[in-house]
Amino acid sequence: MSKIIFDSGISLDGFFAGDNRGPENPMGGVSAKIHSWMFNQKAFWAYLGVEGGKEDTLDGTYIRETIARTGAFIMGKRMFEEGEASWPNDLYKADVYVLTHEVREPWVQEGSTTFYFINDGIESALDKAIKSAKGKDVRIQGGANTIQQFLNAGLVDEFFIHIAPVFLGSGIRLFEGIDKDIYDIKIMEVLPSDFTTHLRYKLTKKSASPTK
Amino acid sequence: MSKIIFDSGISLDGFFAGDNRGPENPMGGVSAKIHSWMFNQKAFWAYLGVEGGKEDTLDGTYIRETIARTGAFIMGKRMFEEGEASWPNDLYKADVYVLTHEVREPWVQEGSTTFYFINDGIESALDKAIKSAKGKDVRIQGGANTIQQFLNAGLVDEFFIHIAPVFLGSGIRLFEGIDKDIYDIKIMEVLPSDFTTHLRYKLTKKSASPTK
């Protein structure tokens, strides 16, 4: 059965993106600081369809495992707009559901990536993504606000964070306004690395409180 | 030589304390959620001078090491006021420098804890604490705002965070408004545990930028 996951790099002070993000300034310009652990890994460049990187270490193995387990993606409109301006063709190699108010025909890319534009809410996007994933996991790709919506709707089964040893000082936090009463959380895996710390958590919905 | 350190438990969403903290409500009532990893450890209760806890695991060893390396403490006035109402006698077993605007004679406790009240800034407190520490480390105990002041003054050498697998949703964040340009940061140690993840970082001041 598909799990609903997210997998995000953050700074020590919890920022997922910098200030003033937009298509001209993806992630507010902080990607190199948060994602530096990926850049020397062959697995990362292979995913982009480019030769590059040194041999994979544990970080690269981790990247390949995450790609292999993901069967479909969901993202917010702002992340899509940033990526539309900069991602290579067929980056996701899967169906990607974009939450938007815009009505737009699916964008079928050469290869196996299709972007679908969903206007009727996160649960609708999730139903469709689960069908696309065919038993693999559905990854909530971002941005932070989209991840927060899924968390607060009680829909997330598991997540990964990668904490980079850097302060950003300001920007968009991954965890902002998270409902503290939804989940019991268990630490599943801790993988040390030179440029980040990989952490995996399992979420279980708390039993409903007895009604008074 | 003394290192200047801090060592703080936080939630997954980065909170160091909850809302409405004060002497009647230390840490905003979130201590049990953030510090649950300590409570079954003999080392923790021994520090409080009380029988309790099961045998130490790695977490207890960690507690004993941190106590052993610390020679003096610095804390903010609000943390002191919370603790004054609830800490056992002689908890710190060292000199504790309290940053305050109040003029107050030192409070010499039975045992080896003395609280000194410092009115002339963080560097003055630090000078005195380094003398007290006699080569051991000086620990900036908290609250979050006091830790932020030392971080942003470029005075911290090393820190430990313990990330509890829990969301708090709101409260006081440990890392708020941290100057991103002061330190290069290196991951020194990652210790997985059941109820928290221990992370240790080393800070080095960045070389000054060339003047234009």
Side-chain angles (χ1 to χ4, degrees):
Chain A
M1 216 182 77
S2 296
K3 285 184 191 157
I4 317 306
I5 66 173
F6 64 88
D7 183 314
S8 305
I10 57 175
S11 66
L12 263 172
D13 42 358
F15 293 105
F16 173 92
D19 293 316
N20 307 313
R21 61 179 289 212
E24 321 286 285
N25 187 32
M27 287 191 64
V30 305
S31 181
K33 290 189 169 172
I34 293 181
H35 299 139
S36 63
W37 63 275
M38 297 180 182
F39 296 157
N40 62 355
Q41 302 293 310
K42 258 196 181 337
F44 173 74
W45 296 101
Y47 186 56
L48 295 181
V50 177
E51 274 292 314
K54 299 177 190 167
E55 287 310 303
D56 287 350
T57 63
L58 171 147
D59 295 324
T61 307
Y62 174 81
I63 292 170
R64 289 182 199 273
E65 284 173 5
T66 306
I67 294 167
R69 68 184 285 179
T70 304
F73 296 84
I74 296 174
M75 67 177 60
K77 183 196 173 198
R78 291 181 63 193
M79 172 171 270
F80 171 75
E81 286 174 347
E82 287 182 11
E84 191 178 17
S86 61
W87 289 326
N89 181 67
D90 198 27
L91 175 61
Y92 289 96
K93 301 165 193 72
D95 291 342
V96 182
Y97 294 89
V98 180
L99 303 165
T100 176
H101 295 292
E102 188 190 6
V103 176
R104 179 168 162 181
E105 287 300 302
W107 178 20
V108 183
Q109 296 195 317
E110 203 174 312
S112 52
T113 303
T114 300
F115 293 94
Y116 294 93
F117 302 90
I118 305 297
N119 311 127
D120 55 352
I122 66 172
E123 307 231 9
S124 163
L126 186 55
D127 285 345
K128 295 176 177 70
I130 288 172
K131 287 196 185 76
S132 287
K134 296 191 172 65
K136 288 186 169 188
D137 293 340
V138 173
R139 177 169 168 183
I140 315 301
Q141 182 74 357
N145 182 269
T146 300
I147 289 170
Q148 289 156 20
Q149 285 183 53
F150 277 89
L151 272 173
N152 284 340
L155 295 171
V156 177
D157 298 307
E158 200 172 295
F159 67 84
F160 301 70
I161 49 176
H162 315 279
I163 304 179
V166 64
F167 289 122
L168 293 178
S170 66
I172 298 170
R173 280 203 165 93
L174 176 58
F175 297 129
E176 188 76 67
I178 304 300
D179 186 329
K180 66 180 170 39
D181 297 318
I182 297 184
Y183 301 105
D184 290 315
I185 307 179
K186 195 164 167 1
I187 304 168
M188 299 300 286
E189 198 171 22
V190 176
L191 294 175
S193 175
D194 287 347
F195 300 116
T196 195
T197 305
H198 307 283
L199 298 163
R200 182 161 66 92
Y201 296 91
K202 181 181 173 182
L203 307 179
T204 312
K205 283 184 83 167
K206 285 183 199 282
S207 327
S209 312
T211 47
K212 285 177 191 167
Chain B
M1 216 182 77
S2 296
K3 285 185 192 157
I4 318 306
I5 66 172
F6 64 89
D7 182 316
S8 305
I10 56 174
S11 66
L12 262 172
D13 41 359
F15 293 104
F16 172 93
D19 294 316
N20 307 314
R21 61 180 287 212
E24 319 287 283
N25 186 32
M27 288 193 62
V30 304
S31 181
K33 289 188 171 175
I34 293 181
H35 299 140
S36 62
W37 64 274
M38 299 181 180
F39 296 156
N40 61 355
Q41 302 293 310
K42 259 197 181 334
F44 173 74
W45 296 101
Y47 186 56
L48 295 181
V50 178
E51 274 292 313
K54 300 179 191 168
E55 287 310 303
D56 287 351
T57 62
L58 171 147
D59 295 323
T61 308
Y62 175 82
I63 292 170
R64 290 182 198 274
E65 284 173 6
T66 305
I67 293 167
R69 67 183 285 178
T70 304
F73 296 84
I74 296 175
M75 67 179 61
K77 183 196 172 200
R78 291 182 62 193
M79 173 173 268
F80 171 75
E81 285 175 346
E82 287 182 11
E84 191 177 17
S86 60
W87 289 325
N89 180 66
D90 198 28
L91 175 61
Y92 290 97
K93 301 164 194 68
D95 291 343
V96 182
Y97 293 88
V98 180
L99 303 165
T100 177
H101 296 292
E102 188 191 6
V103 176
R104 178 169 162 179
E105 287 300 302
W107 178 21
V108 183
Q109 297 196 317
E110 201 174 313
S112 52
T113 303
T114 299
F115 293 93
Y116 295 93
F117 301 89
I118 304 297
N119 312 125
D120 55 352
I122 65 173
E123 308 233 7
S124 163
L126 186 56
D127 286 346
K128 296 175 175 71
I130 287 171
K131 287 195 184 76
S132 287
K134 296 190 172 66
K136 288 187 171 187
D137 294 339
V138 173
R139 177 169 169 183
I140 315 302
Q141 182 75 356
N145 182 270
T146 300
I147 290 171
Q148 290 155 20
Q149 285 182 55
F150 278 88
L151 273 173
N152 284 340
L155 295 171
V156 178
D157 297 308
E158 200 171 296
F159 69 84
F160 302 69
I161 48 176
H162 314 279
I163 305 179
V166 63
F167 290 121
L168 292 179
S170 66
I172 297 170
R173 280 203 164 92
L174 176 59
F175 298 128
E176 188 76 67
I178 305 300
D179 187 329
K180 65 181 171 36
D181 297 318
I182 297 184
Y183 300 104
D184 290 315
I185 307 179
K186 197 166 166 0
I187 304 168
M188 299 301 285
E189 198 170 23
V190 176
L191 294 176
S193 174
D194 287 348
F195 300 115
T196 196
T197 305
H198 307 283
L199 298 164
R200 182 160 67 92
Y201 296 92
K202 182 181 174 184
L203 307 179
T204 312
K205 283 184 85 167
K206 285 182 198 285
S207 327
S209 314
T211 47
K212 288 178 189 164

